[in-house]
Amino acid sequence: MNSGALQDLGFDPRAMSGDEIVQHLDLRIGQVLEQIQHSEVWRAVTSADSPPELSREIVKEIYLEIVMYQPDVIEATIATIAQMPRSLPVELLDDMLHHQIEEFDHGEMALRDYVAMGGSEEYARNRPMSPSAFSIAAMWRMLCHSRDSFAYLGALYPFEGITPIITEKAKDALRGKGMQDETLSYVDFHSTEDKEHARMLRELIAKVADLYPEARERICYGLEYFLAIYPMPAWNAAMQRAMERHLKTAA
Ligand SMILES: [Fe+2]
Ligand SMILES: [Fe+2]
């Protein structure tokens, strides 16, 4: 194994089974969940003593981040799936594409919640991409550009592995902050839908890693590539914008 890869990952995934690769991904997701729950943004959104307006503004800005990056993610992921080896069993390709079909309009879902919170659709659709949303879009486009299709599966794991847990943990707190049902469709939907997506992805990763030994390292890299820029940079950017507005209105 390349010594750089050993340094980046801290272990050699080449001899690991598909199930062992999945166990490793789950371990990393567990570490990230810990980090999230100790973060300033988590405290500001969920803690009983944070101002409800600030909490709502942060969630609104997180929706805006999703609106900004999601169309590029969909376009790049579908193209990256199309770069899978031609020997890939067609039913696995079907699962991958079917999953992205289910994700296709989730940027629009986030936009509807954003607008229900008082945000402007015109602004959200035409605003320049924030640096954090740009870096997320760029990571998915780079996987496609470098034809790193196995890494795609690992990179997807934080989206599907973190979202159902975080939305489940946050949704009651958000209602406690005065958020109405019509502003929580993205949160409510993902707290259940992504449990199934995570299950499907675990199965998919285990099968692909067993079938293609060369995929194991790339899957682990994909996870780390995405974790380097998601979720904290996007959520911190959302918090920053919300704080600026909150301080202005409080002044
Ligand atoms: Fe989604
Ligand atoms: Fe999903």
Side-chain angles (χ1 to χ4, degrees):
M1 190 188 190
N2 181 297
S3 63
L6 195 57
Q7 188 170 42
D8 289 341
L9 300 175
F11 63 99
D12 182 353
R14 288 175 306 173
M16 286 162 71
S17 68
D19 285 341
E20 285 168 341
I21 296 283
V22 171
Q23 275 168 24
H24 164 72
L25 302 182
D26 279 332
L27 184 92
R28 290 288 290 125
I29 294 298
Q31 291 167 343
V32 175
L33 287 168
E34 275 291 303
Q35 223 182 334
I36 291 169
Q37 288 172 94
H38 287 98
S39 70
E40 204 187 330
V41 63
W42 183 255
R43 202 199 67 74
V45 170
T46 62
S47 99
D49 56 4
S50 72
E53 318 79 63
L54 176 63
S55 168
R56 294 197 298 265
E57 285 300 316
I58 294 172
V59 176
K60 188 174 157 198
E61 292 298 327
I62 292 176
Y63 287 148
L64 182 60
E65 286 284 309
I66 298 168
V67 173
M68 288 190 276
Y69 65 65
Q70 200 269 355
D72 285 275
V73 175
I74 288 287
E75 189 180 325
T77 53
I78 292 176
T80 309
I81 291 168
Q83 295 168 348
M84 287 284 165
R86 292 301 174 262
S87 57
L88 187 83
V90 174
E91 64 270 20
L92 300 188
L93 188 79
D94 192 339
D95 288 345
M96 291 176 199
L97 287 173
H98 186 79
H99 167 244
Q100 286 303 335
I101 290 167
E102 289 184 355
E103 298 292 347
F104 183 74
D105 62 346
H106 289 186
E108 294 295 298
M109 192 188 277
L111 178 64
R112 285 194 294 276
D113 287 354
Y114 176 77
V115 171
M117 295 186 79
S120 154
E121 177 174 347
E122 158 83 13
Y123 172 78
R125 288 198 193 277
N126 297 297
R127 177 199 198 288
M129 234 190 238
S130 68
S132 44
F134 186 91
S135 66
I136 290 172
M139 195 240 36
W140 293 98
R141 288 202 174 270
M142 181 61 181
L143 292 182
C144 180
H145 182 75
S146 56
R147 306 183 72 84
D148 203 348
S149 55
F150 289 136
Y152 158 75
L153 294 169
L156 203 52
Y157 211 67
F159 264 158
E160 306 301 339
I162 292 172
T163 315
I165 298 171
I166 285 302
T167 48
E168 182 66 47
K169 282 187 190 293
K171 62 186 186 184
D172 290 342
L174 297 178
R175 285 191 163 82
K177 298 286 182 187
M179 285 186 69
Q180 307 296 314
D181 288 350
E182 64 271 23
T183 68
L184 284 169
S185 51
Y186 189 94
V187 171
D188 287 336
F189 184 84
H190 283 85
S191 67
T192 54
E193 169 94 352
D194 274 354
K195 281 191 189 120
E196 171 53 24
H197 283 175
R199 190 206 59 74
M200 179 278 306
L201 188 56
R202 268 186 206 106
E203 239 179 73
L204 203 51
I205 288 173
K207 281 183 190 160
V208 171
D210 282 336
L211 276 172
Y212 298 95
E214 69 274 27
R216 296 168 194 164
E217 186 182 304
R218 297 319 303 158
I219 291 169
C220 296
Y221 258 101
L223 177 97
E224 299 302 335
Y225 288 158
F226 197 32
L227 287 180
I229 51 157
Y230 179 88
M232 292 320 298
W235 294 358
N236 286 336
M239 182 171 67
Q240 192 66 35
R241 292 195 299 269
M243 295 267 253
E244 278 164 23
R245 202 157 52 234
H246 183 68
L247 289 175
K248 256 185 226 159
T249 47

